[in-house]
């Protein structure tokens, strides 16, 4: 299934993509795409509903973040060897973990907002993993059973905030609208192998990233199992698993986003995003 959320920010409703490509409203059956709905039993109940019997979502309706109730937005850094190389850093001996504030989460086509004082706002197409059932100390063999599904994630980053100022990476990763996720939560039964997905990103129509999840250093099952050794993962938690090469920081010379740019990105089978880049109106 391809599940989504639609409507104004803070008032999103659940939806499902029908076989004919139409967007259908699920709010008569479930409250939202989150919580118990993400469990195997919850998803099985949704799967029994015929989407063609559901109301159509009005054309032009905003698409929201594809999951509700995210308590943790966890990111994995330097998880593609070729991206680590373009960053001038060694492949880490264990996954690099950092947190992105949940207030950064927004819809897949919501704008990228360049924060005040930024000169190095960058893009990162990533595979997002959405946890479906609580897990702690899970083994790698059992890890994927706790995944509800997958999504496209843009781990937008401000490189000067991230690497040129004191402290950790979080402040360069957590600005408003630095976490586009969606358009769909694609349930894990529709993703035969999360380590075999093509992914790409363009800026103003020019290809910047073209990679595949097959080149991850640490795959999805390893990452979920690894994280669960340090923290309990809960339904709705999102893990953004790293980016392939081609980020602006790695260009020669570096290239960063400016107001007026347009970013488009996609992962095979998971849908596409499009973002206008704007200056912070605040």
């Amino acid at each position: 299934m391809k599940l989504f959320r639609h409507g104004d920010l803070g008032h999103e409703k659940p939806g499902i993509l029908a076989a004919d490509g139409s967007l259908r409203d699920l709010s008569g059956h479930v409250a939202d795409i989150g919580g118990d709905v993400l469990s195997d039993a919850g998803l099985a109940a949704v799967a029994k509903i015929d989407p063609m019997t559901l109301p159509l979502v009005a054309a032009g309706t905003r698409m929201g973040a594809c999951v509700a109730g995210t308590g943790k937005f966890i990111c994995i850094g330097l998880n593609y060897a070729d991206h680590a190389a373009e960053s001038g850093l060694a492949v880490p001996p264990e996954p690099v973990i950092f947190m992105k504030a949940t207030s950064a989460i927004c819809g897949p086509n919501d704008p990228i907002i360049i924060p005040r004082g930024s000169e190095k706002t960058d893009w990162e197409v990533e595979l997002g993993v959405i946890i479906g059932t609580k897990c702690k100390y899970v083994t790698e063999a059992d890890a994927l059973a706790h995944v509800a599904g997958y999504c496209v994630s843009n781990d937008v980053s401000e490189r000067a905030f991230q690497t040129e100022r004191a402290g950790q990476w979080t402040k360069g990763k957590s600005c408003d609208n630095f976490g586009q996720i969606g358009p769909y939560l694609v349930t894990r039964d529709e993703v035969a192998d999360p380590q075999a997905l093509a992914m790409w990103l363009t800026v103003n129509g020019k290809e910047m990233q073209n990679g595949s999840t097959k080149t991850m250093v640490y795959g999805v099952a390893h990452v979920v199992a690894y994280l669960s050794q340090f923290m309990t993962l809960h339904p709705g938690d999102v893990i953004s698993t790293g980016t392939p090469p081609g980020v602006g920081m790695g260009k020669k010379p570096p290239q960063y986003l400016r107001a007026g740019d347009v970013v488009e990105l996609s992962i095979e089978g998971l849908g596409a995003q499009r973002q206008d880049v704007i200056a912070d109106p605040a």
Side-chain angles (χ1 to χ4, degrees):
M1 293 182 292
K2 290 182 172 66
L3 305 175
F4 63 92
R5 300 171 67 245
H6 63 97
D8 293 338
L9 182 64
H11 301 280
E12 292 90 348
K13 297 178 180 180
I16 187 170
L17 182 70
D20 67 350
S22 61
L23 303 177
R24 301 284 175 157
D25 179 67
L26 265 174
S27 58
H29 296 268
V30 298
D32 212 336
I33 307 300
D36 291 341
V37 173
L38 301 176
S39 69
D40 286 352
L43 293 173
V46 173
K48 293 178 181 178
I49 301 166
D50 180 1
M52 298 305 291
T53 67
L54 302 174
L56 283 165
V57 175
T61 299
R62 171 185 174 270
M63 297 287 275
C66 61
V67 64
T70 297
K72 295 187 287 297
F73 195 168
I74 309 164
C75 299
I76 307 300
L78 304 174
N79 199 24
Y80 289 71
D82 35 12
H83 171 57
E86 74 173 351
S87 302
L89 298 168
V91 173
E94 297 183 36
V96 172
I97 302 170
F98 62 92
M99 308 297 278
K100 199 175 185 88
T102 55
S103 56
I105 294 173
C106 59
N109 303 318
D110 289 347
I112 293 172
I113 300 175
I114 297 180
R116 187 177 299 176
S118 167
E119 294 185 354
K120 296 182 179 180
T121 297
D122 205 348
W123 56 83
E124 292 190 13
V125 59
E126 304 199 1
L127 175 66
V129 178
I130 299 168
I131 298 299
T133 53
K134 179 179 176 181
C135 61
K136 183 177 183 180
Y137 302 132
V138 68
T139 66
E140 189 168 337
D142 294 334
L144 294 186
H146 294 276
V147 172
Y150 303 92
C151 68
V152 181
S153 172
N154 192 356
D155 177 22
V156 184
S157 310
E158 211 301 333
R159 301 303 187 185
F161 296 177
Q162 176 189 356
T163 64
E164 298 174 19
R165 299 177 65 171
Q168 299 180 345
W169 289 3
T170 301
K171 63 179 174 288
K173 297 283 189 170
S174 297
C175 303
D176 293 345
N177 285 49
F178 268 27
Q180 287 82 358
I181 56 173
Y184 308 115
L185 183 164
V186 181
T187 53
R188 74 171 188 270
D189 59 293
E190 289 201 6
V191 180
D193 184 357
Q195 305 308 147
L197 302 176
M199 55 205 307
W200 58 263
L201 180 146
T202 67
V203 178
N204 301 326
K206 182 179 180 181
E207 183 179 280
M208 297 296 177
Q209 294 185 273
N210 189 340
S212 170
T213 58
K214 68 183 179 183
T215 65
M216 278 186 190
V217 177
Y218 301 106
V220 173
H222 182 91
V223 165
V224 172
Y226 182 83
L227 290 172
S228 78
Q229 308 307 306
F230 304 101
M231 64 190 83
T232 302
L233 302 175
H234 293 92
D237 285 351
V238 177
I239 306 167
S240 203
T241 55
T243 196
V247 300
M249 177 178 63
K251 301 294 183 185
K252 299 187 185 303
Q255 176 181 339
Y256 297 109
L257 295 171
R258 298 288 181 262
D261 288 344
V262 175
V263 177
E264 296 179 274
L265 56 150
S266 180
I267 298 178
E268 180 182 357
L270 304 186
Q273 301 183 357
R274 181 192 183 281
Q275 295 122 21
D276 293 320
V277 181
I278 65 171
D280 194 333

